[in-house]
Amino acid sequence: PPPPPPPPPPPPLPPASPPPPAQTPPRRPAGEAGGKAGGESKSGAEGASGGSGKTLERNTSTNEERMMAEAADLPPVPATRVWAMQREDWRLFPVALVAACCSGASQPVFSIIYSDIISIYFTPDNDGIRTRARNYLGWFFLLGGAVLVSKAANVAVWWMIGERLVRRLRRMSFEAVLRQPMGFFDETTNSVGRLCTRLATDATLVKGLTGDAMGSSTEGMACLVTALVISFLASPKLAGVMLCIFPFLIIGSLYEFRNISQKSRASNKVLERSGEVVADAVTAVRTVTAFNLQGQMLRLYDDTLQMPLQVGIQRGLVQGCGSGFKQFVSICAYALAFYAGSVFIADGSLRFADLLRVFLAITLASEGLGRISSMAPDSAKAQAAARSIFSLFDRP
């Protein structure tokens, strides 16, 4: 039989339709787009900068507390080991010591010129008053120039010595971190933030064991010795009487300067919790609004303000009592000095100029010692930072 006919061919496919034209969004004017982007970036930058500032303050106090807790279990670091790292700076130490001595002796030396220029106004000769006043005017300018040079050199040279030590510590710390095995970074005490803190904060605190401590001690010793020498050369009797209350004058000045310097740090520390509540509320403001949590967040914020209120009241009472004690001791010193001076002047063993010299030397030296002691570095934090850093150096 004949073969079956072949099947018919399939119908041709319809031609493909062209794709639809792309819908381009309408262009926004350049000024409007730039303004909106700039406003968003500006607001974001402001929020980030404000939050980073508060976070930095909280992290600083937290890192110091964590460092003190970790350093309690570490072996102590001898001071000679820290001093050995500053052998390269031995040429700067004589200059720094001389500057510290001159800076510390400047306030007691001022009592010599000040007492003499006051006493000349009791001279009945007007021409003599003018002549001697011109001479002492030159001495005042000379002393002011010496104080300017000594203070600048004292701060600059000691700061240079300390920063060189900090640079060496940071370099050695980073070198020690790079040679550690991978298991070292799995420990909780060796997190990225803690290692960065060692490089940034701990290395800076270590210099309080060497240059900063020596500078403060030298300046304070020079101030004390100069005041005692001037006082006993002017009047040994009155100087012995003033020494009875000299420690109280130092304590009052020390308390006043140190309380002022620590006031802002204490205020920031007690406000940490309230700052966290505000940050959480602002970050989740949509959630707070959606669930109507404004009242609850306000009550929580008000509860966190109770502790700062109590601390502020307590600090105010302590500061008021301390300032009152300092003023009370100062007035008692005035009364004692002038009463004893009047007795010694009556029996002819003391001049009025010597009375002023002893009184000013002791009082100015007490204020200088209080200021210097309040600015001295914290040795406990410096030793804790040294333990933290040198334990990293000694780690195999």
Side-chain angles (χ1 to χ4, degrees):
L13 297 175
S17 60
Q23 298 292 332
T24 58
R27 291 188 177 181
R28 189 177 295 175
E32 182 181 354
K36 183 176 181 180
E40 293 177 355
S41 61
K42 182 178 179 182
S43 60
E46 290 177 353
S49 61
S52 61
K54 296 179 180 178
T55 305
L56 180 61
E57 293 177 356
R58 293 195 298 267
N59 290 340
T60 301
S61 59
T62 305
N63 291 331
E64 291 181 355
E65 295 174 358
R66 186 184 305 169
M67 178 194 65
M68 297 290 289
E70 294 176 359
D73 300 331
L74 299 176
V77 179
T80 54
R81 188 177 179 184
V82 184
W83 279 104
M85 300 186 64
Q86 293 198 317
R87 293 175 181 174
E88 302 177 4
D89 304 326
W90 66 270
R91 297 180 181 86
L92 297 175
F93 277 96
V95 180
L97 291 175
V98 172
C101 291
C102 295
S103 176
S106 60
Q107 285 190 322
V109 170
F110 175 74
S111 64
I112 300 176
I113 306 175
Y114 193 60
S115 60
D116 288 344
I117 198 172
I118 289 178
S119 62
I120 67 173
Y121 289 103
F122 294 92
T123 305
D125 186 9
N126 294 333
D127 295 334
I129 292 176
R130 293 190 183 94
T131 303
R132 296 180 64 183
R134 293 192 189 97
N135 295 333
Y136 280 107
L137 180 63
W139 285 109
F140 272 114
F141 277 105
L142 181 61
L143 180 61
V147 171
L148 173 63
V149 175
S150 63
K151 290 285 186 182
N154 182 33
V155 174
V157 178
W158 287 117
W159 192 273
M160 186 185 305
I161 292 173
E163 288 303 318
R164 289 187 176 185
L165 174 63
V166 171
R167 181 180 180 275
R168 297 189 192 101
L169 290 174
R170 286 173 176 168
R171 184 181 182 279
M172 295 175 63
S173 300
F174 187 61
E175 183 180 359
V177 169
L178 293 179
R179 70 168 183 262
Q180 300 301 322
M182 293 298 103
F184 170 81
F185 302 96
D186 295 334
E187 300 178 6
T188 56
T189 56
N190 299 324
S191 61
V192 177
R194 186 68 189 95
L195 294 176
C196 293
T197 302
R198 287 180 181 176
L199 296 175
T201 307
D202 296 0
T204 306
L205 294 174
V206 174
K207 67 180 181 179
L209 292 176
T210 56
D212 290 354
M214 176 176 284
S216 301
S217 302
T218 305
E219 188 176 0
M221 187 61 64
C223 180
L224 177 61
V225 171
T226 307
L228 293 178
V229 169
I230 292 175
S231 301
F232 278 95
L233 288 178
S235 175
K237 294 181 180 180
L238 185 59
V241 173
M242 292 293 293
L243 284 180
C244 297
I245 58 174
F246 187 60
F248 297 100
L249 292 172
I250 297 176
I251 292 173
S253 300
L254 172 63
Y255 179 85
E256 183 178 9
F257 284 109
R258 178 166 293 183
N259 193 24
I260 292 174
S261 62
Q262 294 179 351
K263 181 179 179 181
S264 59
R265 181 176 297 181
S267 300
N268 292 332
K269 188 173 182 179
V270 297
L271 288 174
E272 288 180 1
R273 177 56 184 161
S274 59
E276 293 176 358
V277 173
V278 173
D280 294 341
V282 173
T283 304
V285 62
R286 290 183 175 84
T287 306
V288 173
T289 305
F291 291 95
N292 197 19
L293 299 177
Q294 293 90 341
Q296 184 176 354
M297 296 301 296
L298 182 59
R299 286 191 298 271
L300 181 60
Y301 181 71
D302 185 66
D303 293 339
T304 59
L305 294 180
Q306 297 299 322
M307 180 59 68
L309 176 61
Q310 297 176 3
V311 173
I313 294 175
Q314 182 180 2
R315 186 172 61 246
L317 293 175
V318 173
Q319 184 177 0
C321 295
S323 300
F325 173 76
K326 193 258 182 182
Q327 297 298 327
F328 172 75
V329 173
S330 300
I331 294 175
C332 290
Y334 300 160
L336 180 61
F338 286 109
Y339 174 75
S342 64
V343 174
F344 296 145
I345 290 175
D347 61 14
S349 61
L350 181 65
R351 298 184 303 120
F352 179 69
D354 295 334
L355 167 64
L356 292 179
R357 185 171 300 178
V358 174
F359 171 72
L360 292 173
I362 295 296
T363 54
L364 293 178
S366 65
E367 292 183 2
L369 286 174
R371 176 184 54 82
I372 294 169
S373 301
S374 65
M375 296 173 63
D378 193 342
S379 59
K381 291 182 179 180
Q383 180 60 233
R387 291 183 181 186
S388 176
I389 287 184
F390 281 90
S391 65
L392 183 62
F393 295 165
D394 300 336
R395 190 182 180 96

